[in-house]
DNA sequence: TACGGCATGTAATCGGTTACATGATTTA
DNA sequence: TAAATCATGTAACCGATTACATGCCGTA
């Protein structure tokens, strides 16, 4: 068997932390937060405090090591260990399963009835604004060397366009019957 | 102030339970499970046991009432109270915020590097199969009276098509360099 | 040197997940 | 009436969210 402690398969946030450290290099919890906000945070969010708790769990498991500064803030810098590298690589090779589209707007639409026409129009309008803004943001992000659409950002673009089309349709379907 | 106990704003699963009972009528936890599996479960999943725990919380808050059968299994049938109805309606009228696309496949793609070509192809192939199957299922579901695309299922169809296009692109972008 | 905002952390709570455990109904 | 499956529930654990609390740093 390899050196990595098998534990009982970590949660997704553990792998997010490991992955961020692998991609961006060693860093503090605050660094993790900023990295996440600019990347995976767009489609997988969690509160800041988890980026303090999770690395400590990973240190206890030997998947990260931390080095506490002796000066100033004495903050902890996390670094990937060989075991952490190994377990991350292993995870990357396993099947990913089906994604989940946690969308409160869709839930509300589903639970609304015919009578709720006005409410549905309001919901659709609000969602259109949100997704339009997000799409604009993605298009701005695409600027640099980003070669192909074969990057999570590409999925973001496709998803936002599909969502806009959907809520447009909803709005058209409940056209104000004046 | 109105009669509904304000508590501290319930979690999404609470509203899912309330909404299901509103849509499908009174039922047991097992009924909830089946209803969810055939509808919201496609884009918002949770384990079965939560459909036992959550209704009991809601009973304690006065948003559902339960009636335990006296015969046979003595199971609990949950029914919406006026307060539950009120709090659900209120929730439906509030803005929904931004959805989250919790997709482990995208995460793995994001954390993979150039060297991982083979692994990425494998991931894309697997995702294509999953989403193809799901799309087929949605198309089968669409059969009945379903009039417009302005229904969560419509979003499901758009999403699956976008996702298939995306992973196709990924696969093309890492074309086996033989 | 005081203030505002940036940065960093901990504690307590609560929801969600896994695992366990059993009862009722149907069918062979 | 035994076996298989459907149905129902509880308990314990752990991750995730909220709230609290404070320290460092640049700048006015």
């Amino acid at each position: 068997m390899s050196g990595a402690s098998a534990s009982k398969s970590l949660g997704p946030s553990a792998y997010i932390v490991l992955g961020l450290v692998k991609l961006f290099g060693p860093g503090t919890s605050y660094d993790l937060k900023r990295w996440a906000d600019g990347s995976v945070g767009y489609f997988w969010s969690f509160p800041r405090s988890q980026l303090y708790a999770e690395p400590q769990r990973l240190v206890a498991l030997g998947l990260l090591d931390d080095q506490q500064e002796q000066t100033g803030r004495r903050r902890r810098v996390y670094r990937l260990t060989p075991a952490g590298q190994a377990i991350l690589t292993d995870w990357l090779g396993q099947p990913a399963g089906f994604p989940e589209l946690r969308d409160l707007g869709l839930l509300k639409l589903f639970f609304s009835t015919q009578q709720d026409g006005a409410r549905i129009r309001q919901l659709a309008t609000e969602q259109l604004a949100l997704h339009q803004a997000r799409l604009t943001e993605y298009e701005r992000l695409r600027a640099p060397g980003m070669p192909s659409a074969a990057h999570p950002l590409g999925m973001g673009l496709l998803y936002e366009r599909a969502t806009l089309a959907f809520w447009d349709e909803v709005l058209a379907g409940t056209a104000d019957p004046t």
Side-chain angles (χ1 to χ4, degrees), chain A residues 3 9 14 28 31 34 40-41 44 52 62 73 75 77 82 88 91 95 103 110 133 141 144 150 164-165 168:
Chain A
S9 76
T28 66
D31 293 327
R34 286 180 311 133
V40 292
W44 196 300
Y52 286 87
R73 297 183 178 201
R75 60 197 171 167
V77 176
L88 176 62
W91 177 74
D103 187 334
F110 181 70
L141 283 175
L164 286 169
D168 262 335

Side-chain angles (χ1 to χ4, degrees), chain A residues 63-80:
Chain A
L63 305 176
L64 290 179
D65 67 16
D66 65 337
Q67 190 142 0
Q68 188 152 16
E69 289 178 342
Q70 295 310 64
T71 92
R73 297 183 178 201
R74 321 191 101 252
R75 60 197 171 167
R76 282 184 267 261
V77 176
Y78 298 104
R79 185 180 310 265
L80 205 54

Side-chain angles (χ1 to χ4, degrees), chain A residues 6 20 49 59-60 69 72 88-89 92 113 136 140-141 148 153 166:
Chain A
L20 287 172
S49 77
V59 168
E69 289 178 342
L88 176 62
T89 304
L92 287 175
T113 53
T136 304
R140 196 167 41 70
L141 283 175
S148 73
L153 180 57
F166 174 71

Side-chain angles (χ1 to χ4, degrees), chain A residues 16-58:
Chain A
I16 290 175
V17 167
L18 293 174
L20 287 172
V21 174
K22 162 118 175 293
L23 272 194
F24 294 94
T28 66
S29 288
Y30 190 71
D31 293 327
L32 288 170
K33 164 98 169 35
R34 286 180 311 133
W35 297 335
D37 282 350
S39 59
V40 292
Y42 283 111
F43 59 96
W44 196 300
S45 79
F46 34 76
R48 190 185 52 82
S49 77
Q50 198 156 348
L51 293 178
Y52 286 87
E54 193 69 61
Q56 297 192 51
R57 260 175 251 150
L58 295 172

Side-chain angles (χ1 to χ4, degrees), chain A residues 121 124 128 165-176:
Chain A
R121 277 193 299 282
L128 282 169
F166 174 71
W167 289 108
D168 262 335
E169 187 91 29
V170 171
L171 208 49
T174 62
D176 194 344

